């Protein structure tokens, strides 16, 4: 007889961890995330091309090492690492050690030169790139009760919620510092402590180079009063039900992650502060602008004009205000100048 677990009350961190990454979890399904939602990687090959250009800038800053690492953290089914390798100049590609980090099995047909891992490698010299990873690091959810006390939100497999014990310890300290609230009943927050820890650990694997996290984000001055916990299934936003049938995600307090990453210790010692910028600003710095091609090209080379126009549309989607362009980029330089910083 199979145990009925649908009635168990658990914190959202445990429930989401099991629903996303446990046996039969959402991220272990054959179709992978791309079967349910589009990231910037899926929206346009321009994104992988921009990351490839960024890797080339890191290569230059490192004085073209004999082995240049590219770590695709939360690699999905290898879409980004495949696109980056295809977009690199041959001289750079010949020196790249590509690592894809994902809990799912290695996809069929992936370039055999790509190392498939469940954890980031140590001693990275190059670029660690985490696209939409931190939003899927499960966190606890809190809600203010009628007495004005923030309490842990408990959830069952069918998505039914109730309030548990008052927040305490490190979680209460994180809430007070990074997501301060008035004692108003119903206010919610996602306690980002596990994401801070995860990002600090990821950054600490970089000996020299660059670590970047790209995600839905908010900062201390712009926290949403009722949180952002939600679900995605078959291309549509839906209720966050932790039954393994859908993605469960929440926006990331990237400013808290930035401080955690800055305290990480690796071969280079304590890291300096990090920098936050929008995807729009980052991609424009890498040559993705969304500018329309000159109309004169339509008469001199119609095919080229059509291609350029399509590319401009894709670039516009990647950099659009209110959409992908508002994603946050958290940039940590380790022992090199920031390649996205204006000279």
């Amino acid at each position: 007889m199979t145990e009925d677990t649908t009635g168990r009350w658990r914190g959202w961190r445990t429930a989401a961890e099991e629903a996303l990454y446990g046996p039969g979890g959402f991220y272990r399904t054959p179709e992978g995330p791309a079967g349910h939602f589009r990231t910037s990687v899926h929206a346009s090959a321009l994104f992988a091309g921009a990351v490839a250009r960024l890797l080339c800038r890191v290569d230059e800053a490192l004085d073209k090492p004999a082995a240049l690492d590219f770590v695709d953290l939360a690699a999905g089914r290898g879409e980004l690492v495949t696109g980056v390798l295809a977009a690199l100049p041959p001289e750079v590609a010949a020196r790249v050690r590509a690592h894809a980090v994902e809990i799912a099995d290695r996809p069929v047909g992936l370039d055999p030169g790509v190392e498939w891992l469940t954890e980031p490698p140590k001693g990275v010299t190059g670029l660690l790139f985490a696209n939409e990873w931190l939003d899927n690091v499960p966190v606890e959810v809190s809600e203010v009760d009628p007495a004005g006390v923030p309490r842990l939100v408990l959830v069952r497999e069918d998505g039914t919620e109730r309030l548990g014990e008052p927040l305490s310890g490190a979680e209460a300290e994180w809430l007070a510092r990074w997501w301060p609230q008035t004692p108003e009943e119903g206010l919610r927050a996602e306690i980002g402590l596990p994401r801070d820890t995860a990002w600090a650990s990821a950054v600490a694997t970089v000996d020299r180079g660059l670590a970047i996290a790209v995600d839905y984000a908010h900062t201390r001055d712009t926290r949403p009063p009722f949180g952002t916990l939600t679900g995605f299934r078959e291309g549509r936003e839906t209720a966050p039900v932790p039954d393994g049938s859908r993605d469960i995600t929440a926006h990331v307090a990237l400013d808290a992650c930035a401080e955690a990453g800055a305290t990480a210790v690796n071969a280079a010692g304590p890291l300096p502060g990090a920098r936050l910028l929008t995807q729009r600003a980052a991609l424009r710095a890498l040559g993705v602008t969304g500018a329309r091609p000159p109309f004169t090209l339509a008469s001199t080379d119609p095919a080229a004009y059509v291609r350029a126009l399509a590319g401009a549309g894709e670039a516009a989607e990647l950099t659009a205000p209110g959409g992908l362009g508002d994603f946050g980029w958290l940039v940590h330089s380790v022992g090199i100048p920031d390649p996205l910083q204006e000279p």
Side-chain angles (χ1 to χ4, degrees), residues 10 12-29 32-33 37 73-77 101-105 118 131-139 194-195 198 215 241-250 252:
R10 299 166 292 169
W12 265 106
R13 183 182 180 188
T14 299
E17 184 78 35
E18 184 175 312
L20 295 177
Y21 307 118
F26 175 82
Y27 275 90
R28 295 186 185 276
T29 58
F37 55 85
L73 184 51
R77 297 303 179 265
V101 183
E102 183 57 72
I103 59 110
D105 293 337
T118 56
N131 185 60
E132 296 195 41
W133 169 53
L134 288 172
D135 68 296
N136 287 128
V137 173
V139 294
R195 294 167 173 179
D215 235 309
V241 178
D243 61 0
S245 69
R246 67 204 68 196
D247 188 27
I248 296 173
T249 178
V252 182

Side-chain angles (χ1 to χ4, degrees), residues 213 217-219 253-256 258 274-278 328-331:
H218 46 61
T219 58
L254 273 184
D255 49 350
R275 189 161 73 98
L276 291 170
L277 65 163
T278 64
W329 280 44
L330 170 55
V331 181

Side-chain angles (χ1 to χ4, degrees), residues 50 52 70 84-85 89 146 171-172 192 232 240 247 255 280 309 343:
F70 175 65
V84 168
L85 291 175
E171 291 171 344
F232 283 93
D247 188 27
D255 49 350
R280 181 166 53 259
L309 194 62

